């Protein structure tokens, strides 16, 4: 009997590339599977004229996928993990985290090779408050405007002259084979990435043991450990698209894990950072501890 697995995904080119990667990895592990791709348009894909912080945050990209899982139209959902809320629906489980791609942000501009080289007064387009805050921290003389839409839409807006530069995730550009547009990659020491940037998360209906078995073959444990620390920090801060938060956990040569975390105000005039070093099996505790430190540094009136 043929086993059929339905993959729920957003319909954007990048989301589909991630769904196809998941499909290919599943077929490599289980050649007898028949896999169907179920394309869904999310609320976040429809609202393109306002920042996410104003219209509901990350959940706008997952609501329709959650509904498709719940009613059986999909058996698994594939997400950019940085878009996944720290608390997933109670009827779902995280089945796998794929091996992480490049975590860096890409600087893209027809006018400069690096963010540091942009002339004063230049306009940078981004939909990310995290990027906005860190741009303002580095270059308070630049203007930052809202750029919403998928990768192709943002590149088109840049080509039309709506901004002098934009920032996108290197991971997405790699998956779309669009690295030729990159002027330079921003190292984490210069701009800390979003929590879980570059990682793909796959969720499924809790209790579905057959699907859990299939997804277990895809899970990349080192990536899961790293994003566990980052997401624990984010959850402790109660972070969302409304808050400029960045975080990155990396393994050190001696087998430890280093977690760096940052919170800033959108204007880039206030910024606090925390760092932890410890064993990987304490990933969640490290994230919680870093989040608590940042919360204490921020105080109650950090965002006014």
């Amino acid at each position: 009997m043929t086993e059929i697995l339905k993959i729920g995904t957003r319909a954007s080119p990048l989301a589909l590339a991630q769904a196809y990667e998941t499909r290919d990895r599943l077929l490599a592990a289980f050649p007898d599977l028949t896999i169907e791709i179920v394309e869904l348009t999310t609320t976040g894909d429809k609202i393109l004229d306002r920042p996410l912080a104003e219209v509901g945050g990350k959940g706008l990209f997952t609501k329709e996928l959650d509904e498709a899982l719940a009613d059986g139209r999909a058996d698994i959902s594939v997400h950019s993990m940085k878009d996944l809320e720290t608390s997933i629906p109670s009827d779902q489980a995280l089945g796998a985290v794929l091996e992480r791609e490049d975590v860096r942000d890409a600087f893209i501009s027809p006018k400069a090779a690096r963010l540091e080289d942009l002339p004063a007064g230049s306009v940078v387009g981004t939909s990310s408050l995290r990027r906005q805050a860190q741009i303002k921290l580095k270059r308070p003389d630049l203007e930052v405007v809202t750029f919403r839409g998928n990768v192709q839409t943002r590149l088109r807006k840049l080509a039309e002259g709506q901004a002098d530069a934009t920032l996108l995730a290197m991971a997405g550009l790699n998956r779309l084979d669009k690295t030729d547009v990159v002027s330079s990659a921003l190292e984490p020491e210069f701009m800390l990435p979003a929590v879980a940037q570059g990682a793909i998360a796959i969720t499924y209906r809790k209790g579905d043991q057959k699907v859990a078995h299939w997804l277990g073959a895809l899970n990349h444990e080192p990536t899961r450990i790293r994003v566990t620390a980052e997401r624990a920090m984010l959850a402790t801060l109660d972070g969302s698209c409304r808050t400029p938060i960045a975080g990155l956990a990396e393994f050190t040569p001696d087998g430890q894990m280093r977690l760096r975390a940052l919170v800033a105000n959108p204007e880039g005039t206030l910024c606090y950072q925390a760092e932890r070093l410890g064993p990987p099996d304490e990933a969640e505790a490290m994230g919680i501890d870093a989040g608590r430190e940042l919360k204490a540094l921020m105080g109650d009136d950090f965002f006014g």
Side-chain angles (χ1 to χ4, degrees):
M1 178 176 155
T2 302
E3 301 276 17
I4 298 175
L5 180 74
K6 292 173 288 186
I7 299 178
T9 175
R10 291 167 61 194
S12 74
L14 177 54
L16 287 171
Q18 295 177 161
Y20 297 149
E21 180 179 342
T22 301
R23 176 199 63 192
D24 294 347
R25 288 174 181 261
L26 280 165
L27 289 175
F30 305 99
D32 295 334
L33 266 182
T34 296
I35 297 179
E36 299 175 4
I37 304 289
V38 180
E39 297 182 27
L40 300 161
T41 300
T42 68
T43 306
D45 295 314
K46 296 173 186 173
I47 303 173
L48 299 176
D49 59 341
R50 284 167 286 167
L52 282 179
E54 292 181 8
V55 292
K58 296 180 181 181
L60 295 174
F61 289 123
T62 58
K63 178 174 173 286
E64 285 77 7
L65 296 178
D66 294 341
E67 291 170 350
L69 263 189
D71 64 25
R73 282 176 292 149
D75 300 307
I76 65 174
S77 291
V78 177
H79 305 270
S80 291
M81 199 165 196
K82 69 176 183 179
D83 292 336
L84 198 63
E85 299 272 17
T86 51
S87 176
I88 64 176
S90 59
D91 60 344
Q92 293 183 28
L94 181 62
V97 182
L98 302 190
E99 184 171 1
R100 199 170 198 171
E101 247 283 4
D102 194 331
V103 301
R104 297 174 297 175
D105 288 309
F107 174 75
I108 304 168
S109 174
K111 300 183 177 181
R114 305 180 307 159
L115 181 69
E116 305 97 293
D117 299 333
L118 280 175
S122 295
V123 177
V124 182
T126 179
S127 62
S128 162
L129 287 181
R130 172 191 64 84
R131 289 176 179 140
Q132 173 184 312
Q134 292 189 79
I135 290 167
K136 287 293 202 179
L137 278 165
K138 309 286 186 189
R139 292 290 307 274
D141 58 326
L142 299 178
E143 181 185 351
V144 182
V145 298
T146 299
F147 255 29
R148 286 289 318 284
N150 60 34
V151 169
Q152 289 78 2
T153 299
R154 296 186 210 185
L155 291 175
R156 175 180 54 77
K157 289 179 177 180
L158 182 64
E160 290 172 351
Q162 295 185 33
D164 299 307
T166 190
L167 273 63
L168 294 169
M170 281 295 303
L173 295 169
N174 285 338
R175 291 183 175 121
L176 291 169
D177 196 23
K178 283 188 172 294
T179 53
D180 58 303
V181 303
V182 178
S183 302
S184 59
L186 303 178
E187 296 300 327
E189 289 73 24
F190 181 82
M191 179 168 289
L192 207 58
V195 164
Q197 184 154 303
I200 293 173
I202 308 171
T203 57
Y204 70 105
R205 281 185 299 277
K206 197 175 284 184
D208 191 330
Q209 296 305 316
K210 188 180 293 184
V211 170
H213 168 67
W214 292 332
L215 294 182
L218 272 58
N219 187 61
H220 187 254
E221 192 62 11
T223 298
R224 189 196 67 79
I225 291 169
R226 291 171 64 191
V227 299
T228 293
E230 295 167 21
R231 284 170 60 83
M233 176 273 295
L234 184 67
T236 302
L237 283 172
D238 194 24
S240 69
C241 284
R242 301 173 183 81
T243 315
I245 295 171
L248 179 63
E250 297 176 291
F251 294 115
T252 62
D254 62 354
Q256 296 281 89
M257 191 172 70
R258 177 193 182 202
L259 171 66
R260 286 174 284 169
L262 173 153
V263 61
N265 63 356
E267 299 76 27
T269 55
L270 288 171
C271 175
Y272 296 109
Q273 299 186 57
E275 187 171 320
R276 292 292 182 276
L277 184 68
D281 60 2
E282 294 181 8
E284 186 171 15
M286 288 168 61
I288 291 171
D289 199 46
R292 285 174 176 164
E293 179 184 339
L294 289 175
K295 212 166 189 175
L297 289 168
M298 290 162 59
D300 296 330
D301 57 351
F302 184 69
F303 293 106

